[in-house]
Amino acid sequence: MQGQTISLPSVLSGASNSFLFTLIAPIPLCAALTESLDSRMSPPEASGLRNISLLDAGLSLLSAGIAAASALGMSVALDAPSVSAVGRNVAFLIGLTLLSRSVVGRPAAMVPVAWIFCVVFFGYKNSQQSYFWAILPEGSNDPYAAAAAAIALSAGLAAQIFWPPHSNETTGEAWN
């Protein structure tokens, strides 16, 4: 994507925002992870000896770690510092998805897309400055964004372990 941007309108500022294509990079990974977590067979998993919630949390953490390491490696290889923020953004969006998944189940797969749209259309004060809550457009060295990503991922993992999505007892499928 090499730092390519497009101009999209901001609802709040009335100006156009330069939107980096790398902001949409986390969507496929978050969608694949959510689909993997939701493709379960609840009755057999409930009767097993292994703690599936911990294994799911491990998969989520591994996915975020691989994304962060890959983004950092590509950032160095391509000499593109903005690419390293993709790893942080993946961790943030995975955390939000896991938190949402504990409440709404399968529809949580749309949370990354919804967050990105909120950031694009409502997340900028002006064409150059984003609001503090947007997180995604912040620079790769922003400590606030890194802390927000760590908190979101930690909270999402905790929610995944302690409050996994409920299942429909008759069919064994995750509720929709």
Side-chain angles (χ1 to χ4, degrees), residues 88-153:
R88 178 203 65 219
N89 292 345
V90 166
F92 179 74
L93 291 173
I94 285 175
L96 286 182
T97 302
L98 295 177
L99 278 170
S100 302
R101 195 170 163 268
S102 292
V103 177
V104 299
R106 289 187 78 112
M110 290 304 298
V111 166
V113 176
W115 189 268
I116 290 169
F117 275 111
C118 284
V119 168
V120 168
F121 295 116
F122 303 105
Y124 289 89
K125 295 177 186 177
N126 56 47
S127 63
Q128 301 298 321
Q129 188 178 14
S130 62
Y131 286 104
F132 72 95
W133 59 264
I135 306 298
L136 303 180
E138 299 300 329
S140 58
N141 295 329
D142 188 297
Y144 171 76
I151 291 168
L153 184 60

Coordinates of all heavy atoms in Angstrom, one line a residue, residues 88-153:
R88 N -0.2 -2.6 15.8 CA -0.9 -2.0 16.9 C -2.4 -1.9 16.6 O -3.2 -2.2 17.5 CB -0.3 -0.6 17.2 CG -1.1 0.1 18.4 CD -0.9 1.6 18.3 NE -1.6 2.2 17.1 CZ -1.1 3.2 16.4 NH1 0.0 3.8 16.7 NH2 -1.8 3.7 15.4
N89 N -2.7 -1.5 15.4 CA -4.1 -1.4 15.1 C -4.8 -2.8 15.1 O -6.0 -2.9 15.4 CB -4.3 -0.7 13.7 CG -3.9 0.7 13.8 OD1 -3.8 1.3 14.8 ND2 -3.7 1.3 12.6
V90 N -4.1 -3.8 14.6 CA -4.7 -5.2 14.7 C -4.9 -5.6 16.1 O -6.0 -6.1 16.4 CB -3.7 -6.2 14.0 CG1 -4.1 -7.6 14.3 CG2 -3.7 -6.0 12.5
A91 N -4.0 -5.3 17.0 CA -4.2 -5.7 18.4 C -5.4 -4.9 19.0 O -6.2 -5.5 19.7 CB -2.9 -5.3 19.2
F92 N -5.5 -3.6 18.7 CA -6.7 -2.8 19.1 C -8.0 -3.4 18.6 O -8.9 -3.6 19.4 CB -6.5 -1.4 18.7 CG -7.6 -0.5 19.1 CD1 -7.7 -0.1 20.4 CD2 -8.5 0.0 18.2 CE1 -8.8 0.8 20.8 CE2 -9.5 0.8 18.6 CZ -9.7 1.2 19.9
L93 N -8.0 -3.7 17.3 CA -9.3 -4.1 16.7 C -9.6 -5.6 17.2 O -10.8 -5.9 17.4 CB -9.2 -4.0 15.2 CG -9.2 -2.6 14.7 CD1 -9.0 -2.6 13.2 CD2 -10.5 -1.9 15.1
I94 N -8.6 -6.4 17.4 CA -8.9 -7.7 17.9 C -9.5 -7.6 19.3 O -10.5 -8.3 19.7 CB -7.7 -8.6 17.9 CG1 -7.3 -9.1 16.5 CG2 -7.8 -9.8 18.8 CD1 -6.0 -9.9 16.4
G95 N -8.9 -6.7 20.1 CA -9.5 -6.5 21.5 C -10.9 -6.0 21.5 O -11.8 -6.6 22.2
L96 N -11.2 -5.1 20.6 CA -12.6 -4.6 20.5 C -13.5 -5.7 20.0 O -14.7 -5.8 20.5 CB -12.7 -3.4 19.5 CG -12.1 -2.1 20.0 CD1 -12.4 -1.0 18.9 CD2 -12.8 -1.6 21.3
T97 N -13.1 -6.5 19.1 CA -13.9 -7.6 18.6 C -14.2 -8.6 19.6 O -15.3 -9.1 19.8 CB -13.2 -8.2 17.4 OG1 -13.0 -7.2 16.4 CG2 -14.1 -9.3 16.8
L98 N -13.2 -9.0 20.4 CA -13.4 -10.0 21.5 C -14.3 -9.5 22.5 O -15.1 -10.2 23.1 CB -12.0 -10.4 22.1 CG -11.1 -11.1 21.1 CD1 -9.8 -11.4 21.8 CD2 -11.7 -12.4 20.6
L99 N -14.2 -8.2 22.9 CA -15.1 -7.6 23.9 C -16.5 -7.6 23.3 O -17.4 -8.0 24.1 CB -14.7 -6.1 24.2 CG -13.6 -5.9 25.2 CD1 -13.1 -4.5 25.2 CD2 -14.0 -6.4 26.6
S100 N -16.7 -7.2 22.1 CA -18.0 -7.2 21.5 C -18.6 -8.6 21.4 O -19.8 -8.8 21.5 CB -18.0 -6.5 20.1 OG -17.5 -5.2 20.3
R101 N -17.7 -9.6 21.0 CA -18.2 -10.9 20.8 C -18.8 -11.5 22.1 O -19.7 -12.3 22.0 CB -16.9 -11.7 20.4 CG -17.2 -13.1 19.8 CD -16.0 -13.7 19.2 NE -16.2 -15.1 19.0 CZ -15.9 -16.0 19.9 NH1 -15.3 -15.6 21.0 NH2 -16.2 -17.2 19.7
S102 N -18.3 -11.1 23.3 CA -18.8 -11.6 24.5 C -20.2 -11.1 24.8 O -21.0 -11.7 25.5 CB -17.9 -11.2 25.7 OG -16.7 -11.8 25.6
V103 N -20.6 -10.0 24.1 CA -21.9 -9.4 24.3 C -22.9 -9.8 23.2 O -24.0 -10.2 23.5 CB -21.8 -7.9 24.4 CG1 -23.2 -7.2 24.5 CG2 -20.9 -7.5 25.6
V104 N -22.4 -9.7 21.9 CA -23.3 -9.9 20.8 C -23.1 -11.1 20.0 O -23.9 -11.4 19.1 CB -23.3 -8.6 19.9 CG1 -23.8 -7.4 20.6 CG2 -22.0 -8.4 19.2
G105 N -22.0 -11.9 20.3 CA -21.8 -13.1 19.5 C -21.2 -12.8 18.1 O -20.4 -11.9 17.9
R106 N -21.7 -13.5 17.2 CA -21.2 -13.5 15.8 C -21.2 -12.1 15.1 O -20.3 -11.8 14.4 CB -21.9 -14.5 14.9 CG -21.6 -15.9 15.2 CD -22.3 -16.8 14.2 NE -21.5 -16.8 13.0 CZ -20.8 -17.8 12.5 NH1 -20.8 -19.0 13.2 NH2 -20.1 -17.7 11.4
P107 N -22.2 -11.3 15.4 CA -22.1 -10.0 14.7 C -20.9 -9.1 15.1 O -20.6 -8.1 14.4 CB -23.4 -9.3 15.2 CG -24.4 -10.4 15.5 CD -23.5 -11.5 16.0
A108 N -20.2 -9.5 16.1 CA -19.0 -8.8 16.5 C -17.9 -8.8 15.4 O -17.0 -7.9 15.4 CB -18.4 -9.4 17.8
A109 N -18.1 -9.6 14.4 CA -17.1 -9.7 13.3 C -17.2 -8.3 12.5 O -16.2 -8.0 11.8 CB -17.5 -10.8 12.3
M110 N -18.2 -7.6 12.6 CA -18.3 -6.3 11.9 C -17.7 -5.1 12.7 O -17.7 -4.0 12.2 CB -19.8 -6.0 11.6 CG -20.4 -6.9 10.6 SD -19.4 -6.9 9.0 CE -19.6 -5.2 8.5
V111 N -17.3 -5.4 13.9 CA -16.8 -4.3 14.8 C -15.6 -3.6 14.2 O -15.5 -2.4 14.1 CB -16.5 -4.8 16.2 CG1 -15.6 -3.8 17.0 CG2 -17.8 -5.0 16.9
P112 N -14.6 -4.3 13.6 CA -13.5 -3.6 13.0 C -13.9 -2.7 11.8 O -13.4 -1.6 11.7 CB -12.5 -4.7 12.5 CG -12.9 -5.9 13.3 CD -14.3 -5.8 13.6
V113 N -14.8 -3.2 11.0 CA -15.3 -2.4 9.9 C -16.0 -1.1 10.4 O -15.8 0.0 9.9 CB -16.2 -3.2 9.0 CG1 -16.8 -2.4 7.9 CG2 -15.4 -4.4 8.4
A114 N -16.9 -1.3 11.4 CA -17.6 -0.2 11.9 C -16.7 0.8 12.6 O -16.9 2.0 12.4 CB -18.6 -0.7 13.0
W115 N -15.7 0.3 13.3 CA -14.7 1.3 13.9 C -14.0 2.1 12.9 O -13.8 3.3 13.0 CB -13.7 0.5 14.8 CG -12.9 1.5 15.7 CD1 -11.7 2.0 15.3 CD2 -13.3 2.0 16.9 NE1 -11.3 2.8 16.3 CE2 -12.2 2.9 17.3 CE3 -14.4 1.9 17.8 CZ2 -12.2 3.6 18.5 CZ3 -14.4 2.6 18.9 CH2 -13.3 3.4 19.3
I116 N -13.6 1.4 11.8 CA -12.8 2.1 10.8 C -13.7 3.2 10.1 O -13.3 4.3 9.9 CB -12.2 1.2 9.8 CG1 -11.1 0.4 10.4 CG2 -11.8 1.9 8.5 CD1 -10.6 -0.8 9.6
F117 N -15.0 2.8 9.9 CA -15.9 3.8 9.3 C -16.1 5.0 10.2 O -16.2 6.1 9.8 CB -17.2 3.2 8.9 CG -17.2 2.6 7.5 CD1 -17.3 1.2 7.4 CD2 -17.1 3.3 6.4 CE1 -17.2 0.6 6.1 CE2 -17.1 2.8 5.1 CZ -17.1 1.4 5.0
C118 N -16.3 4.7 11.5 CA -16.4 5.8 12.5 C -15.2 6.7 12.5 O -15.4 7.9 12.6 CB -16.7 5.2 13.9 SG -18.3 4.5 14.1
V119 N -14.0 6.1 12.5 CA -12.8 6.9 12.4 C -12.8 7.8 11.2 O -12.5 9.0 11.2 CB -11.6 6.0 12.5 CG1 -10.3 6.8 12.2 CG2 -11.5 5.4 13.9
V120 N -13.1 7.2 10.0 CA -13.0 7.9 8.8 C -14.0 9.1 8.8 O -13.6 10.2 8.4 CB -13.3 7.0 7.6 CG1 -13.5 7.8 6.3 CG2 -12.1 6.0 7.4
F121 N -15.2 8.8 9.2 CA -16.3 9.9 9.0 C -16.4 10.8 10.2 O -16.9 11.9 10.1 CB -17.6 9.2 8.7 CG -17.6 8.6 7.3 CD1 -17.7 7.2 7.2 CD2 -17.3 9.3 6.2 CE1 -17.7 6.6 6.0 CE2 -17.3 8.7 4.9 CZ -17.5 7.3 4.8
F122 N -16.0 10.3 11.4 CA -16.2 11.1 12.6 C -15.0 11.3 13.5 O -15.0 12.0 14.5 CB -17.3 10.5 13.5 CG -18.6 10.2 12.9 CD1 -19.0 8.9 12.5 CD2 -19.5 11.3 12.6 CE1 -20.2 8.7 11.8 CE2 -20.7 11.1 12.0 CZ -21.0 9.8 11.6
G123 N -13.9 10.8 13.1 CA -12.7 10.7 13.9 C -11.7 11.8 13.8 O -10.6 11.8 14.4
Y124 N -12.0 12.8 13.0 CA -11.0 13.9 12.7 C -11.6 15.3 13.1 O -12.7 15.6 12.8 CB -10.6 13.9 11.2 CG -9.7 12.8 10.8 CD1 -10.3 11.6 10.4 CD2 -8.4 12.9 10.9 CE1 -9.5 10.5 10.0 CE2 -7.6 11.8 10.5 CZ -8.2 10.6 10.1 OH -7.4 9.6 9.7
K125 N -10.7 16.0 13.8 CA -11.1 17.4 14.2 C -10.9 18.3 12.9 O -11.7 19.2 12.7 CB -10.1 17.9 15.2 CG -10.3 17.3 16.6 CD -9.3 17.8 17.5 CE -9.3 17.0 18.8 NZ -8.3 17.4 19.8
N126 N -9.9 18.0 12.2 CA -9.7 18.7 10.9 C -8.9 17.7 10.0 O -8.7 16.6 10.4 CB -8.9 20.0 11.1 CG -7.6 19.8 11.8 OD1 -6.8 18.9 11.5 ND2 -7.3 20.7 12.8
S127 N -8.5 18.2 8.9 CA -7.9 17.2 7.9 C -6.6 16.6 8.4 O -6.1 15.6 7.8 CB -7.7 17.9 6.6 OG -6.8 19.0 6.7
Q128 N -6.0 17.2 9.4 CA -4.7 16.7 9.9 C -4.7 16.0 11.2 O -3.8 15.3 11.6 CB -3.6 17.8 9.9 CG -3.4 18.5 8.5 CD -2.9 17.5 7.5 OE1 -2.1 16.6 7.8 NE2 -3.4 17.6 6.3
Q129 N -5.7 16.4 12.1 CA -5.7 15.9 13.5 C -6.9 15.1 13.8 O -8.0 15.5 13.6 CB -5.6 17.2 14.4 CG -5.4 16.8 15.8 CD -5.3 18.1 16.7 OE1 -5.7 19.2 16.2 NE2 -4.9 17.9 17.9
S130 N -6.6 13.9 14.4 CA -7.7 13.0 14.7 C -8.1 13.2 16.2 O -7.3 13.7 17.0 CB -7.3 11.6 14.5 OG -6.2 11.2 15.3
Y131 N -9.2 12.8 16.6 CA -9.7 12.8 18.0 C -8.9 11.7 18.8 O -8.5 10.7 18.2 CB -11.2 12.6 18.1 CG -12.0 13.8 17.7 CD1 -12.7 13.8 16.5 CD2 -12.1 14.9 18.5 CE1 -13.4 14.9 16.1 CE2 -12.9 16.0 18.2 CZ -13.5 16.0 17.0 OH -14.3 17.0 16.6
F132 N -8.8 11.9 20.1 CA -8.1 11.0 20.9 C -8.6 9.5 20.8 O -7.9 8.6 21.0 CB -8.0 11.4 22.4 CG -9.4 11.3 23.1 CD1 -9.6 10.2 23.8 CD2 -10.3 12.3 23.0 CE1 -10.8 10.0 24.5 CE2 -11.5 12.1 23.6 CZ -11.8 11.0 24.4
W133 N -9.9 9.4 20.7 CA -10.5 8.0 20.7 C -10.3 7.3 19.4 O -10.5 6.0 19.4 CB -12.0 8.1 21.0 CG -12.8 9.0 20.0 CD1 -13.1 10.3 20.1 CD2 -13.3 8.6 18.7 NE1 -13.8 10.7 19.0 CE2 -13.9 9.7 18.1 CE3 -13.3 7.4 18.0 CZ2 -14.5 9.6 16.9 CZ3 -13.9 7.3 16.7 CH2 -14.5 8.4 16.2
A134 N -9.9 7.9 18.3 CA -9.8 7.2 17.0 C -8.7 6.2 17.0 O -8.9 5.1 16.3 CB -9.5 8.3 15.9
I135 N -7.6 6.3 17.7 CA -6.5 5.4 17.8 C -5.9 5.0 16.5 O -4.6 5.2 16.3 CB -6.9 4.1 18.6 CG1 -7.6 4.4 19.9 CG2 -5.8 3.1 18.8 CD1 -6.7 5.1 20.9
L136 N -6.6 4.5 15.5 CA -6.0 4.0 14.3 C -5.1 4.9 13.5 O -4.1 4.5 13.0 CB -7.1 3.4 13.4 CG -8.0 2.3 14.0 CD1 -9.1 1.9 13.0 CD2 -7.3 1.2 14.5
P137 N -5.5 6.2 13.3 CA -4.6 7.0 12.5 C -3.4 7.6 13.2 O -2.6 8.3 12.6 CB -5.6 8.2 12.1 CG -6.7 8.2 13.0 CD -6.8 6.8 13.6
E138 N -3.3 7.3 14.5 CA -2.1 7.8 15.3 C -0.8 7.2 14.7 O -0.8 6.1 14.2 CB -2.3 7.5 16.7 CG -3.5 8.1 17.4 CD -3.5 9.6 17.3 OE1 -2.5 10.3 17.3 OE2 -4.7 10.2 17.2
G139 N 0.3 8.0 14.9 CA 1.6 7.5 14.4 C 2.0 6.2 15.1 O 1.5 5.9 16.2
S140 N 3.0 5.6 14.5 CA 3.5 4.3 15.0 C 4.2 4.5 16.4 O 4.3 3.5 17.1 CB 4.4 3.7 14.0 OG 5.5 4.5 13.7
N141 N 4.6 5.6 16.8 CA 5.3 5.9 18.0 C 4.5 6.5 19.1 O 5.0 6.9 20.1 CB 6.6 6.7 17.8 CG 7.6 6.0 17.0 OD1 7.7 4.8 17.0 ND2 8.3 6.8 16.2
D142 N 3.2 6.6 18.9 CA 2.3 7.3 19.8 C 2.0 6.4 21.0 O 1.5 5.3 20.9 CB 0.9 7.6 19.1 CG 0.0 8.4 20.0 OD1 -0.4 7.9 21.1 OD2 -0.3 9.5 19.6
P143 N 2.5 6.8 22.2 CA 2.3 6.0 23.4 C 0.9 5.8 23.8 O 0.5 4.7 24.4 CB 3.2 6.7 24.5 CG 3.3 8.1 24.0 CD 3.2 8.1 22.5
Y144 N 0.1 6.8 23.6 CA -1.3 6.7 24.0 C -2.0 5.6 23.2 O -2.8 4.8 23.7 CB -2.0 8.0 23.8 CG -3.5 8.0 23.9 CD1 -4.1 7.9 25.2 CD2 -4.3 8.0 22.8 CE1 -5.5 7.8 25.3 CE2 -5.7 7.9 22.9 CZ -6.3 7.8 24.2 OH -7.6 7.8 24.3
A145 N -1.8 5.6 21.9 CA -2.4 4.6 21.0 C -1.9 3.2 21.4 O -2.6 2.2 21.3 CB -2.1 4.9 19.5
A146 N -0.6 3.1 21.7 CA 0.0 1.8 22.1 C -0.7 1.3 23.4 O -1.0 0.1 23.5 CB 1.5 1.9 22.2
A147 N -0.9 2.2 24.3 CA -1.5 1.8 25.6 C -3.0 1.4 25.4 O -3.5 0.5 25.9 CB -1.4 3.0 26.6
A148 N -3.7 2.2 24.5 CA -5.1 1.8 24.2 C -5.2 0.5 23.6 O -6.1 -0.3 23.9 CB -5.7 2.9 23.3
A149 N -4.2 0.2 22.7 CA -4.2 -1.2 22.0 C -4.0 -2.3 23.0 O -4.6 -3.3 23.0 CB -3.2 -1.2 20.9
A150 N -3.0 -2.0 23.9 CA -2.7 -3.0 25.0 C -3.9 -3.3 25.9 O -4.2 -4.4 26.2 CB -1.5 -2.6 25.7
I151 N -4.5 -2.2 26.3 CA -5.7 -2.3 27.2 C -6.9 -3.0 26.5 O -7.5 -3.9 27.0 CB -6.1 -0.9 27.7 CG1 -5.1 -0.3 28.6 CG2 -7.5 -0.9 28.3 CD1 -5.2 1.1 29.0
A152 N -7.1 -2.6 25.2 CA -8.2 -3.2 24.5 C -8.0 -4.7 24.3 O -8.9 -5.6 24.5 CB -8.4 -2.6 23.1
L153 N -6.7 -5.1 23.9 CA -6.4 -6.5 23.7 C -6.5 -7.3 25.0 O -7.1 -8.4 25.1 CB -5.0 -6.7 23.1 CG -4.6 -8.1 22.7 CD1 -5.6 -8.7 21.7 CD2 -3.2 -8.1 22.2

